[in-house]
């Protein structure tokens, strides 16, 4: 059995604690680059208008099979700072740039035309004026009025002057209404971004343009309708409303992908809980509350994004289909359809990637069937993974320290059970080939206490740990006797060891199976006084 040895050096305490070196054999080593500091902190299957009608209906069909529940805002006290994305070489799908200078000539022209329309609308209070009464209703009432008038219409003048009972008071009210409209026009904003006040507006307007294939008039109508809907729905008041936390296990935000997008997890299997399902979808009142909850948390999350040019203004969504109720639940399907339509109309271009994990075979087959009818841009946003490939798929887009434990990573969400490590501590990911052994060496330069944690996704391997002193003829100390780990064992192992002399820690993973395995681990050094 071939041995493969990653060598990890624990530097002096004043140096960063992670510098890994990996090799295929103990005699040859090459360095693994240390992970960068992790990037800091939908949500719906998105349907864009650039697709032709057949593609749009198919994408919508696949979306309606899954409840759309959105994402929660970060917990209280968290700072949602956004750092620059990592190099494009690690990005599988390159998002369109939202920097104006990167747009094509026709796209820049469309943006400028849309800004002119928005400015005119602000000047004329189109965004704040109430809706005019329906024309059809007025025309239907006209014949009835004429019939009641009878012959009197022949003797009375056609345009009878209106007598003002209190012209001064009415003039004051009109002036007051006009003043209020002017103030409102100056304060029109969307997702916390005032329109045309700074360059963040350019990013907002580009979302509407892309949703309408850069057709300026269509984008303006969509924007105007969205602003009208937000006012009627009472978005500003809804953001601060207390709607409870019953669905916090169904949907949650956790970590960031490799590009810096906040990651939203939707766990549809939670709706197998009959009590939760009925409490959420049983009648129209409950479904309406769900829809308000959905919009509220989407709004809270969106307002944490960075709408500056070049900033992160989309999210990465993970949809867990394990034990999903599926389309048989009529109440769920109805709520999903309502939410999907609302979000599609009013939240354009907010999803960078849609990853479906634990996807059943029929879901994969259905996607394979419809994918030829989808545009390349739409297909690039959808990723499907079977249960066996779910963790591997997530690691392509999200580093292990950001992936929750239940999905193969090392991250524990809001838990004090492992205070030594947080989402900010980078992890090393190593592939263990079938029928091979990996030995991770952590070299100790000084007296200290070393703490580490590791896991092998799916286990079915043997794991052991030992300390080998540098002193000649010294005894090797067994920290963990080689033990076969089953898939049902604890997903993550935690160890600490007080080092009294120089030497090295050896972590041995023996993979006797015919499948490749993924090892993820991290460690840190604590001073020994």
């Amino acid at each position: 059995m071939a041995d493969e040895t990653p060598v990890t050096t624990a530097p002096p305490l004043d140096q960063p604690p992670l510098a890994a070196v990996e090799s295929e054999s103990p005699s040859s080593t090459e360095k693994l680059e240390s992970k960068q500091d992790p990037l800091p902190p939908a949500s719906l299957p998105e349907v864009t208008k650039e697709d032709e009608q057949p593609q749009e209906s198919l994408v919508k069909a696949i979306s309606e099979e899954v409840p759309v529940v959105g994402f929660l805002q970060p917990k209280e006290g968290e700072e949602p700072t956004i750092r620059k994305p990592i190099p494009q070489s690690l990005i599988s799908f390159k998002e369109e740039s939202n920097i104006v200078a990167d747009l094509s000539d026709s796209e820049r022209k469309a943006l400028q035309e849309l800004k002119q329309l928005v400015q005119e609308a602000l000047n004329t209070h189109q965004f704040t004026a109430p809706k005019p009464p329906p024309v059809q209703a007025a025309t239907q009432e006209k014949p009835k009025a004429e019939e009641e008038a009878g012959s009197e219409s022949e003797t009375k003048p056609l345009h009878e002057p209106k007598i003002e009972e209190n012209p001064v008071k009415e003039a004051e009210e009109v002036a007051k209404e006009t003043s209020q409209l002017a103030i409102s026009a100056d304060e029109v904003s969307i997702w916390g971004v005032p329109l045309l006040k700074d360059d963040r507006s350019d990013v907002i307007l580009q979302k509407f343009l892309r949703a309408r294939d850069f057709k300026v008039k269509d984008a303006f109508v969509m924007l105007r309708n969205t602003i009208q809907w937000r006012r009627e729905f009472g978005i500003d008041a809804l953001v601060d409303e207390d709607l409870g936390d019953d669905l916090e296990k169904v949907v949650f935000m956790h970590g960031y992908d490799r590009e810096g997008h906040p990651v939203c997890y939707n766990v549809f299997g939670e709706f197998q809980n009959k009590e939760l399902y009925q409490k959420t979808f049983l009648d129209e009142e409950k479904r309406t509350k769900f829809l308000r909850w959905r919009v509220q948390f989407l709004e809270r999350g969106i307002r944490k994004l960075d709408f500056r040019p070049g900033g992160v203004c989309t999210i990465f969504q993970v949809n867990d289909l394990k034990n999903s109720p599926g389309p048989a639940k009529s109440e769920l399907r109805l709520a999903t359809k309502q939410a999907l339509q609302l979000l599609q109309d009013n939240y354009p271009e907010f999803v960078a990637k849609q990853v479906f994990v634990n996807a059943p075979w029929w879901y994969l087959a259905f996607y394979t069937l419809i994918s030829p009818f989808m545009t390349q841009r739409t297909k690039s946003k959808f990723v499907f993974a079977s249960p066996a490939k779910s963790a591997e798929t997530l690691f392509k887009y999200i580093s292990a320290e950001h992936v929750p434990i239940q999905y193969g990573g090392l991250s524990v969400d809001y838990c004090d059970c492992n205070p030594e490590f947080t989402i900010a501590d980078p992890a090393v990911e190593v592939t263990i080939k079938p029928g091979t052994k990996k030995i991770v060496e952590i070299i100790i330069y000084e007296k200290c206490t070393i703490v580490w944690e590791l896991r092998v996704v799916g286990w079915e391997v043997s794991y052991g740990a030992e300390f080998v002193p540098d002193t000649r003829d010294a005894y090797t100390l067994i920290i963990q006797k080689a033990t076969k780990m089953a898939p049902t064992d604890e997903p993550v192992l935690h160890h600490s060891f007080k080092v009294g002399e120089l030497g090295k820690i050896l972590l041995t993973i023996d993979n006797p199976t015919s499948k490749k395995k993924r090892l993820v681990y991290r460690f840190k050094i604590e001073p020994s006084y």
Side-chain angles (χ1 to χ4, degrees):
M1 182 178 294
D3 289 353
E4 301 180 2
T5 309
V7 180
T8 304
T9 302
L13 296 177
D14 59 346
Q15 298 296 324
L18 189 57
V21 179
E22 181 182 1
S23 67
E24 292 299 323
S25 66
S27 60
S28 63
T29 62
E30 64 180 277
K31 292 186 177 181
L32 277 175
E33 294 182 357
S34 298
K35 296 281 184 179
Q36 296 179 350
D37 289 339
L39 292 166
S43 358
L44 65 157
E46 183 178 26
V47 183
T48 59
K49 290 293 183 182
E50 90 251 87
D51 294 339
E52 297 296 332
Q53 188 63 30
Q55 291 96 316
E56 179 178 336
S57 60
L58 287 168
V59 175
K60 187 172 182 180
I62 199 170
S63 301
E64 290 179 352
E65 299 295 329
V66 181
V68 181
V69 290
F71 62 93
L72 299 178
Q73 76 283 12
K75 293 289 186 179
E76 185 176 355
E78 287 188 358
E79 292 295 332
T81 55
I82 303 295
R83 299 185 186 177
K84 293 182 180 180
I86 64 171
Q88 292 288 328
S89 60
L90 296 179
I91 299 175
S92 60
F93 163 67
K94 184 177 180 181
E95 260 189 295
E96 295 91 341
S97 172
N98 55 29
I99 299 175
V100 175
D102 294 336
L103 300 177
S104 66
D105 291 342
S106 61
E107 291 172 343
R108 281 198 297 271
K109 181 180 178 182
L111 176 60
Q112 188 60 36
E113 291 177 359
L114 180 57
K115 290 174 71 173
Q116 291 175 357
L117 290 178
V118 171
Q119 186 62 66
E120 292 174 6
L122 290 172
N123 294 340
T124 57
H125 314 300
Q126 292 182 36
F127 292 141
T128 53
K131 281 186 176 181
V135 178
Q136 186 177 2
T139 57
Q140 289 177 348
E141 292 177 359
K142 183 177 179 181
K144 183 177 179 181
E146 291 178 352
E147 183 178 348
E148 291 178 353
S151 60
E152 294 181 4
S153 61
E154 298 178 0
T155 58
K156 290 186 177 182
L158 293 177
H159 300 284
E160 186 173 351
K162 180 180 179 181
I163 300 176
E164 303 285 352
E165 295 182 359
N166 193 339
V168 176
K169 183 178 179 181
E170 290 194 8
E172 291 177 352
E173 290 179 353
V174 171
K176 183 178 179 180
E177 291 178 0
T178 304
S179 175
Q180 288 177 345
L181 284 176
I183 295 174
S184 299
D186 292 337
E187 296 177 350
V188 173
S189 64
I190 183 168
W191 303 308
V193 178
L195 288 179
L196 301 187
K197 292 295 183 180
D198 53 45
D199 55 6
R200 292 179 298 167
S201 278
D202 292 344
V203 177
I204 297 292
L205 297 182
Q206 285 180 65
K207 288 182 177 292
F208 287 89
L209 284 168
R210 286 197 169 93
R212 291 297 181 262
D213 199 21
F214 279 86
K215 296 177 180 177
V216 177
K217 292 184 179 179
D218 291 347
F220 175 76
V221 170
M222 184 184 186
L223 174 64
R224 185 181 61 195
N225 291 342
T226 294
I227 294 174
Q228 177 71 25
W229 169 81
R230 293 174 66 83
R231 186 167 71 246
E232 294 173 352
F233 206 81
I235 294 296
D236 292 335
L238 178 62
V239 169
D240 299 322
E241 190 174 339
D242 183 8
L243 296 178
D245 56 2
D246 296 334
L247 298 172
E248 64 179 359
K249 291 184 179 180
V250 178
V251 58
F252 58 91
M253 286 294 292
H254 191 98
Y256 298 80
D257 72 358
R258 297 183 186 273
E259 300 176 50
H261 300 101
V263 182
C264 169
Y265 292 84
N266 295 296
V267 188
F268 304 125
E270 291 292 330
F271 286 126
Q272 291 288 1
N273 184 321
K274 292 183 179 180
E275 182 179 352
L276 178 63
Y277 182 88
Q278 293 180 352
K279 189 175 182 179
T280 307
F281 302 114
L282 186 60
D283 54 42
E284 184 64 29
E285 181 180 354
K286 290 179 172 57
R287 289 192 293 272
T288 300
K289 182 180 179 181
F290 162 76
L291 191 63
R292 290 177 60 78
W293 170 89
R294 169 67 179 83
V295 172
Q296 181 193 66
F297 284 115
L298 180 59
E299 281 287 329
R300 288 178 176 179
I302 285 177
R303 293 182 188 218
K304 303 296 183 181
L305 297 174
D306 181 8
F307 286 105
R308 291 171 297 182
V312 176
C313 59
T314 53
I315 66 167
F316 186 102
Q317 178 152 291
V318 178
N319 305 285
D320 185 359
L321 301 181
K322 184 178 181 180
N323 298 325
S324 174
K329 299 283 189 179
S330 59
E331 301 89 355
L332 178 59
R333 188 170 65 250
L334 178 60
T336 297
K337 185 175 182 179
Q338 292 174 339
L340 178 64
Q341 189 62 54
L342 183 151
L343 300 174
Q344 179 184 328
D345 292 342
N346 300 287
Y347 295 90
E349 299 292 316
F350 271 106
V351 178
K353 182 77 72 177
Q354 288 273 11
V355 177
F356 295 82
V357 297
N358 295 315
W361 67 268
W362 59 266
Y363 213 94
L364 298 173
F366 181 65
Y367 177 74
T368 301
L369 179 66
I370 70 170
S371 60
F373 300 96
M374 300 165 63
T375 65
Q376 186 59 39
R377 182 175 185 271
T378 300
K379 286 192 291 185
S380 68
K381 290 191 176 186
F382 285 82
V383 177
F384 294 84
S386 65
K389 297 289 186 180
S390 292
E392 179 182 346
T393 300
L394 287 180
F395 287 156
K396 290 180 180 179
Y397 306 102
I398 311 170
S399 56
E401 66 270 13
H402 284 259
V403 176
I405 284 180
Q406 61 268 37
Y407 295 108
L410 295 176
S411 185
V412 180
D413 192 14
Y414 314 122
C415 176
D416 296 328
C417 58
N418 182 29
E420 291 89 357
F421 295 97
T422 69
I423 205 168
D425 296 309
V428 177
E429 303 169 25
V430 180
T431 298
I432 308 176
K433 296 178 181 179
T436 63
K437 180 187 296 184
K438 284 284 187 184
I439 301 176
V440 176
E441 295 184 1
I442 305 175
I443 301 175
I444 308 297
Y445 287 109
E446 55 191 301
K447 295 180 180 181
C448 63
T449 297
I450 180 172
V451 182
W452 71 91
E453 66 178 3
L454 83 164
R455 75 176 300 174
V456 175
V457 180
W459 287 114
E460 295 182 325
V461 300
S462 292
Y463 161 70
E466 58 187 13
F467 173 71
V468 181
D470 284 347
T471 306
R472 183 177 297 180
D473 299 328
Y475 291 102
T476 296
L477 300 177
I478 303 299
I479 302 173
Q480 167 70 52
K481 184 179 179 180
T483 305
K484 185 175 181 179
M485 306 296 297
T488 55
D489 288 334
E490 194 70 23
V492 180
L493 298 181
H494 309 273
H495 287 289
S496 65
F497 183 73
K498 188 173 182 179
V499 180
E501 57 183 314
L502 304 187
K504 56 187 176 183
I505 301 288
L506 300 181
L507 308 178
T508 304
I509 307 294
D510 188 358
N511 177 20
T513 71
S514 59
K515 300 177 182 178
K516 67 178 180 180
K517 296 290 184 177
R518 180 63 65 95
L519 164 68
V520 291
Y521 71 94
R522 56 185 172 179
F523 70 92
K524 62 173 54 178
I525 303 297
E526 297 178 353
S528 181
Y529 299 106

